[in-house]
Amino acid sequence: MSFSSYFTHKSGGDRIFSVEAPKIKFGRGSLQEVGDDAKALGMKRVVVFTDPRVGQMEHVSKVVESLKSQGLDAVVYDQVAVEPTDVSFKQGAEFALDGKFDGYVSVGGGSVMDTCKAANLYSCYPADFLDYVNAPIGKAIPVPGELKPHIACPTTFGTASECTGIAIFDLLEMEAKTGIVSPRIRANLGVLDPSVLSSLPPLVRAANGFDVFSHACESITARPYTHRPAPESSQKRPLNQGANPYSDMACLEAIKLVGEHIVQAVNEPIEENYDALMYAGMLAGIGFGNAGCHLPHGMSYAVAGLVKDYAPEGWPTDHPMVPHGISVIVNSPAVFRKTGPACAERHWQAAAAMGADLTDTKVEDGGDILADQILGMMRETDIPNGLSGVGYSMDDLDALTDRSYAQKRLIDNGPMPISRDELKDLFRNSMTLW
Ligand SMILES: NC(=O)c1ccc[n+]([C@@H]2O[C@H](COP(=O)([O-])OP(=O)(O)OC[C@H]3O[C@@H](n4cnc5c(N)ncnc54)[C@H](O)[C@@H]3O)[C@@H](O)[C@H]2O)c1
Ligand SMILES: [Fe+2]
């Protein structure tokens, strides 16, 4: 079998990629089936995780009714923090531990699904908080065994947390985001009902759309799995295994769907946009869940962690935040201009899928073409103008660089090595985009 020459084996590199496939249900009305699904997974006493805003919406009441209609106990925990922190993760875990639940359902965005994963983990296998957190910040101790069953019901479409074994949080004392990564924390079932997206505020839709774009573009342009050093044993093969034929397939389709729908979905949405975007988010999740993201996400964790006073419209205003999709996409144009030469054709393909006009363009300019296409769509959807648009200045370059240089797992997954000085240049070039 022959693949793209991008996957030509390099001496010392891996020869194997694995496929982690989440179990998913997709379609309007699927939330009403959650009770049946929970029963089939053996749940009896269920905790439903959500955040204070989504907790007031019919998305949660539909799920609770469905659980009760199957004779299951359902207790709602609606105190999830949007853009969660180590503190809010621990609060969720305490609630879970005290409640002695045998099943978990999360109804909300990435903040809710990630908090639910962490609560399930720490209540099943209590430990010091940093034990399961990614190295070098935490100890990255493997999750000891199976968790209790979890059904994840996204009410946003960007993070694809329902597909991944990842839970992200802001470690307050370090002012940086990091995460817990293990196939064992992945939900047993993701239930994607696109009707939930019609209540999303426009800028949240835009942020989610660009999160999907970046997941897919980063996975396609990630280091090929054949260039990542072969693991000592099969159990040590990382989830971030690098670009591979399976993730390519899912990501190209995701980029195409977002490219066709995101501008309309933000400015004058029609129902069809929501089905396409939710499906695209899931596909990109399958892609980056098998390949891994790289620099834009690695940089985003510093941008989110060091937030000053940015308080965007559409999110809770109780604390400043740079929401995830925005913190990612402000870095992406500078990154793709830099990484373009490492795999120009892949950048060019992504730009084509996104809808760029490629007449009279050269493949070797793929990085710039992709960056320009993203910039145009950011402007059409009112995304802030780079890091300066979310409150940063050139005085912050060192702090941003230091925080993100620690994200080794992500930086190493890029298509080329990046030094600390180059990373600083990427932040500098992301300060003002147009
Ligand atoms: N686990 C992963 O694989 C992964 C991947 C990417 C990002 N993340 C993390 O996910 C978090 C971001 O998640 P998100 O972008 O899904 O948003 P979110 O969960 O932070 O929610 C954003 C806002 O939208 C509101 N909201 C959610 N659904 C709504 C709906 N249907 N109608 C109206 N309002 C709604 C929420 O109440 C909140 O105010 C970040 O912490 C990020 O780091 C996780
Ligand atoms: Fe993301």
Side-chain angles (χ1 to χ4, degrees):
M1 183 171 178
S2 69
F3 291 133
S4 141
S5 60
Y6 193 58
F7 303 123
T8 303
H9 184 251
K10 181 178 161 186
S11 169
D14 208 347
R15 291 182 181 276
I16 297 167
F17 66 91
S18 63
V19 172
E20 295 281 338
K23 195 166 176 211
I24 294 290
K25 271 170 89 160
F26 185 97
R28 287 170 186 262
S30 52
L31 281 185
Q32 278 98 320
E33 295 186 1
V34 166
D36 209 8
D37 296 325
K39 201 169 179 183
L41 281 165
M43 298 187 197
K44 291 192 177 70
R45 182 171 155 70
V46 184
V47 57
V48 178
F49 271 67
T50 189
D51 70 50
R53 186 199 286 176
V54 178
Q56 300 298 316
M57 295 180 166
E58 61 163 358
H59 318 316
V60 170
S61 50
K62 269 186 201 166
V63 167
V64 170
E65 274 163 33
S66 172
L67 291 165
K68 290 193 170 158
S69 73
Q70 294 296 323
L72 309 183
D73 277 346
V75 176
V76 175
Y77 176 75
D78 66 0
Q79 291 305 305
V80 167
V82 172
E83 302 281 326
T85 64
D86 51 325
V87 174
S88 70
F89 263 20
K90 284 180 208 161
Q91 285 163 347
E94 271 168 36
F95 187 86
L97 197 57
D98 290 347
K100 302 194 171 37
F101 303 103
D102 62 15
Y104 290 75
V105 175
S106 51
V107 185
S111 299
V112 169
M113 293 183 281
D114 287 5
T115 304
C116 190
K117 290 176 192 174
N120 191 356
L121 168 61
Y122 287 96
S123 62
C124 287
Y125 302 102
D128 282 344
F129 186 71
L130 287 178
D131 280 4
Y132 301 124
V133 172
N134 291 332
I137 292 170
K139 292 191 193 154
I141 294 175
V143 172
E146 297 293 317
L147 305 190
K148 303 235 167 85
H150 172 192
I151 300 178
C153 311
T155 60
T156 59
F157 64 92
T159 70
S161 177
E162 75 281 0
C163 299
T164 65
I166 304 173
I168 307 287
F169 64 95
D170 193 353
L171 185 57
L172 292 175
E173 74 201 36
M174 283 194 62
E175 296 178 308
K177 279 195 166 188
T178 182
I180 301 166
V181 180
S182 163
R184 287 201 153 127
I185 67 169
R186 192 193 359 233
N188 301 65
L189 176 66
V191 176
L192 290 87
D193 185 333
S195 66
V196 299
L197 299 184
S198 55
S199 55
L200 272 186
L203 194 57
V204 181
R205 272 177 249 150
N208 269 245
F210 284 110
D211 192 20
V212 175
F213 258 156
S214 218
H215 289 155
C217 292
E218 289 173 54
S219 299
I220 283 182
T221 58
R223 163 175 71 174
Y225 73 98
T226 44
H227 290 204
R228 175 182 40 72
E232 292 159 27
S233 71
S234 74
Q235 297 310 305
K236 297 209 164 143
R237 183 167 291 111
L239 273 182
N240 275 14
Q241 54 186 341
N244 60 76
Y246 183 76
S247 58
D248 278 3
M249 185 179 65
C251 289
L252 272 175
E253 181 65 13
I255 295 172
K256 187 167 154 281
L257 286 170
V258 181
E260 281 168 9
H261 290 272
I262 187 65
V263 175
Q264 186 179 36
V266 173
N267 295 315
E268 34 184 353
I270 53 171
E271 289 297 305
E272 195 187 319
N273 300 142
Y274 299 131
D275 295 74
L277 290 175
M278 196 145 212
Y279 190 62
M282 181 202 81
L283 285 177
I286 291 173
F288 87 83
N290 279 288
C293 290
H294 60 84
L295 287 154
H297 270 73
M299 293 168 74
S300 81
Y301 295 150
V303 176
L306 287 166
V307 59
K308 296 173 170 192
D309 51 9
Y310 185 63
E313 202 178 318
W315 279 265
T317 49
D318 55 348
H319 62 286
M321 66 172 82
V322 186
H324 177 69
I326 297 177
S327 67
V328 169
I329 206 66
V330 289
N331 309 308
S332 297
V335 169
F336 293 132
R337 287 191 206 285
K338 174 83 182 170
T339 54
C343 48
E345 193 178 351
R346 294 187 154 245
H347 290 71
W348 195 78
Q349 277 177 332
M354 219 178 260
D357 178 3
L358 299 177
T359 320
D360 297 331
T361 60
K362 295 195 201 111
V363 172
E364 61 256 41
D365 296 329
D368 284 336
I369 299 167
L370 179 58
D372 290 340
Q373 177 67 17
I374 294 173
L375 281 182
M377 297 182 101
M378 287 170 77
R379 298 184 74 164
E380 284 186 271
T381 51
D382 279 338
I383 293 282
N385 185 358
L387 291 170
S388 61
V390 296
Y392 290 101
S393 73
M394 292 294 180
D395 294 342
D396 301 310
L397 288 180
D398 278 312
L400 288 165
T401 308
D402 288 341
R403 296 300 191 291
S404 63
Y405 203 51
Q407 304 286 343
K408 196 171 158 38
R409 169 181 83 88
L410 290 161
I411 310 261
D412 287 353
N413 203 37
M416 65 206 289
I418 292 287
S419 68
R420 189 188 176 283
D421 284 347
E422 287 172 312
L423 191 60
K424 190 171 172 181
D425 281 342
L426 290 176
F427 278 118
R428 186 179 290 113
N429 296 338
S430 301
M431 206 50 80
T432 305
L433 299 176
W434 57 82

